[in-house]
Amino acid sequence: MKRFILSLLSIFAFVAVAYSADRAHTLKIYNWADYIDLSVLDDFKVWYKEQTGEEVEVVYQLFDINEIMLAKIEKGKEDFDVVCPSEYIIERMLRNDMLLPINKEFGKTPNYLTNISPYIIDCFNKIDGSGKNANDYAVGYMWGTTGLLYNTKYVSEEEASTWATLHNEKFRKRIFVKDAFRDVYSTILIYLRQEELASGRLTLDDLMRDSSDESIADVEAFLKQAKRLVAGWEADFGKEMMTQEKAYINLSWSGDAVWAIEEAATVGVSLDYRVPKEGSNVWFDGWVIPKYAKNVKAASYFINFMCRPDIAIRNMDEIGYVSVVATPEVLESRIDDELEATVDASYFFGEGAEAVKIDPVQYPDRAVVERCAMMHDSGDRTPKMLEMWARVKGNDVPLWNWIVIGISLVAVLVWLIHRAVKKHQKRSYRSKRARKTKR
Ligand code: N2P
């Protein structure tokens, strides 16, 4: 909460300062909530002045659902210069020709974009941008997995290692699910198609492109069953629910999990995170410059600055998510000799990182990454999926709420009738007395 209030105050400060500056010297950033070390924004202004001799002010706005951000960009009312969508939204933006290519020439300024892991570049190559290569239009920022954050006191490691736990009566009203339809759909579909995956009849990539009526119906049926146990759909408060032990399981992103695990430890609550054995998605958020951007130069310098290793480390330390930057100093900053197990993170850091002591929630072992897949845009099937999501979440008012509403209405009605009767009695008493005095 304290962190949230601090973020809000800083954002107001940024907005206030920036609106007093002119648009040509303003950089408008649209980013996920809790997704940056805000002090980095001040440092960017100083660095930009050093590099270009130009002043820049920053307007920093937040979103917490991809689709809400996309709708805002599509409407075109806000002229953001740099935005941070997830891979399937980048795909959609490319298909709909909404992005400018990113200028990667920085003159005498070092080009930090070369610090990005080849693994990330490779994944961005797989974004299907209708002939456009995503690496020309987007630069990775943070990445991670979707999995189950759990309270080790109430949930066993085995229970946290399968999506089937979302149907486990033991956790009735103790489950929070991320309000991210694409992530939830893809992970549940992987769970439901595990036999086909095991037999080789389907691949993970097939599933990430599957938005058939049949699959939508299957996922809907699974989620409607799970809904009985779900305490809420959260865009950003799941981690607090977990640290306060109001929930025991949170279908969440790895970065939120890292933040929650650390925060919970300070109050004696033990949380952990698993990517279920059936598989999951691995997601990537990246910076893009919308076509209507007004300060393209500052936007590309900002993207470059975010890839400076020290800046990447500060952001990671603050938010728990994992930067795309894979330089030796980043790896060194993540090594924790107190950890017992090692992780094969060579797919990300390259040779020499086959057995490193780093947090497996942040950098999943190669074996975990191999059972995860990257999501794709569902194109004109998206409304069908969103309708399913709306049906699942619904706005059903629970029965006891109706009972309370009913009792309250009856009470108000009784009181109104009582008041009317009293008034009527008073009036007839007064007129009787008036008649008597006349006589
Ligand atoms: C952080 C949001 C992370 C976005 N609040 C994951 N795609």
Side-chain angles (χ1 to χ4, degrees):
M1 193 58 183
K2 205 171 104 204
R3 203 163 79 120
F4 177 71
I5 292 169
L6 278 177
S7 301
L8 269 187
L9 286 178
S10 324
I11 289 157
F12 283 140
F14 280 124
V15 173
V17 173
Y19 271 106
S20 58
D22 65 297
R23 186 63 182 93
H25 295 101
T26 301
L27 175 67
K28 284 179 82 172
I29 305 169
Y30 197 24
N31 192 14
W32 293 85
D34 296 341
Y35 220 32
I36 204 164
D37 174 345
L38 286 166
S39 68
V40 151
L41 298 179
D42 279 332
D43 293 6
F44 170 68
K45 293 192 275 186
V46 175
W47 178 81
Y48 188 69
K49 177 87 202 265
E50 280 165 15
Q51 301 299 319
T52 64
E54 292 166 30
E55 302 280 351
V56 71
E57 285 301 340
V58 172
V59 171
Y60 189 70
Q61 286 192 40
L62 305 177
F63 62 87
D64 49 25
I65 295 183
N66 262 312
E67 286 64 32
I68 290 180
M69 171 270 297
L70 180 65
K72 212 162 186 180
I73 308 281
E74 278 173 344
K75 276 194 198 127
K77 282 194 185 148
E78 293 271 1
D79 50 354
F80 294 113
D81 299 306
V82 58
V83 186
C84 188
S86 300
E87 72 299 289
Y88 70 95
I89 298 289
I90 297 177
E91 195 164 271
R92 168 169 289 228
M93 288 173 150
L94 286 173
R95 287 176 180 175
N96 293 345
D97 200 20
M98 292 167 70
L99 303 178
L100 289 177
I102 289 175
N103 175 21
K104 297 179 181 173
E105 298 298 323
F106 300 102
K108 284 191 186 125
T109 300
N111 181 346
Y112 298 115
L113 303 182
T114 53
N115 294 331
I116 296 175
S117 166
Y119 166 70
I120 301 292
I121 302 289
D122 197 41
C123 291
F124 273 51
N125 277 333
K126 292 180 195 141
I127 293 176
D128 185 0
S130 300
K132 289 182 190 139
N133 186 322
N135 279 306
D136 295 333
Y137 294 82
V139 171
Y141 177 49
M142 299 281 161
W143 68 284
T145 55
T146 302
L148 296 178
L149 170 66
Y150 66 103
N151 186 314
T152 62
K153 191 158 75 176
Y154 304 101
V155 185
S156 69
E157 184 184 338
E158 204 187 335
E159 285 164 334
S161 300
T162 171
W163 296 112
T165 293
L166 297 177
H167 279 183
N168 190 336
E169 278 291 336
K170 235 171 95 182
F171 305 117
R172 181 175 274 273
K173 298 298 170 207
R174 293 294 182 182
I175 301 175
F176 272 84
V177 174
K178 187 65 73 192
D179 189 359
F181 89 96
R182 195 69 190 80
D183 298 71
V184 177
Y185 175 84
S186 62
T187 49
I188 300 308
L189 191 58
I190 289 174
Y191 170 70
L192 296 174
R193 300 286 184 265
Q194 52 189 301
E195 278 171 26
E196 290 88 333
L197 285 170
S199 67
R201 264 177 290 146
L202 281 175
T203 65
L204 281 171
D205 193 53
D206 292 336
L207 292 183
M208 295 300 106
R209 297 172 192 275
D210 177 356
S211 51
S212 61
D213 286 341
E214 190 194 349
S215 292
I216 293 180
D218 290 350
V219 171
E220 179 168 358
F222 179 95
L223 289 174
K224 281 187 169 162
Q225 275 286 101
K227 190 186 171 183
R228 295 168 303 121
L229 317 180
V230 169
W233 314 88
E234 54 90 17
D236 216 24
F237 60 87
K239 41 190 199 263
E240 269 94 20
M241 293 293 103
M242 293 297 290
T243 53
Q244 294 164 16
E245 292 199 306
K246 290 192 176 137
Y248 301 156
I249 297 178
N250 185 194
L251 188 162
S252 187
W253 293 310
S254 46
D256 274 9
V258 171
W259 187 90
I261 291 168
E262 282 173 15
E263 200 68 11
T266 64
V267 290
V269 172
S270 162
L271 303 182
D272 208 343
Y273 173 85
R274 286 288 171 277
V275 174
K277 58 179 187 247
E278 298 89 9
S280 184
N281 67 42
V282 56
W283 53 260
F284 307 90
D285 295 334
W287 298 111
V288 297
I289 305 181
K291 274 207 158 160
Y292 59 41
K294 297 268 190 324
N295 197 345
V296 175
K297 181 175 174 185
S300 55
Y301 271 74
F302 174 77
I303 295 171
N304 189 16
F305 187 64
M306 288 296 111
C307 294
R308 210 172 85 179
D310 60 320
I311 297 298
I313 292 170
R314 275 167 61 189
N315 283 332
M316 288 170 75
D317 286 345
E318 176 68 19
I319 65 174
Y321 280 86
V322 177
S323 161
V324 295
V325 172
T327 58
E329 51 270 65
V330 171
L331 174 57
E332 204 176 305
S333 77
R334 301 296 105 183
I335 299 282
D336 178 355
D337 285 321
E338 282 175 16
L339 292 171
E340 275 171 29
T342 60
V343 166
D344 178 356
S346 57
Y347 64 92
F348 185 81
F349 286 110
E351 232 175 84
E354 287 80 4
V356 281
K357 290 192 170 181
I358 50 177
D359 183 352
V361 180
Q362 289 200 314
Y363 297 95
D365 190 83
R366 182 183 287 276
V368 175
V369 169
E370 279 170 4
R371 62 171 192 266
C372 293
M374 186 176 86
M375 296 177 290
H376 289 280
D377 174 39
S378 317
D380 55 13
R381 297 289 297 167
T382 305
K384 285 258 172 237
M385 295 170 81
L386 285 169
E387 282 161 25
M388 177 277 280
W389 188 236
R391 281 194 301 275
V392 168
K393 288 196 322 180
N395 287 320
D396 323 348
V397 182
L399 185 62
W400 65 267
N401 278 7
W402 285 119
I403 295 174
V404 172
I405 293 171
I407 293 174
S408 318
L409 280 177
V410 171
V412 170
L413 208 67
V414 168
W415 178 74
L416 283 174
I417 294 172
H418 176 76
R419 212 174 62 151
V421 169
K422 279 262 169 209
K423 256 190 188 168
H424 178 75
Q425 283 172 342
K426 247 189 204 168
R427 225 180 283 138
S428 50
Y429 170 74
R430 268 195 215 125
S431 55
K432 256 188 207 162
R433 271 191 55 177
R435 272 203 305 270
K436 261 189 192 168
T437 13
K438 258 188 195 169
R439 267 191 244 134

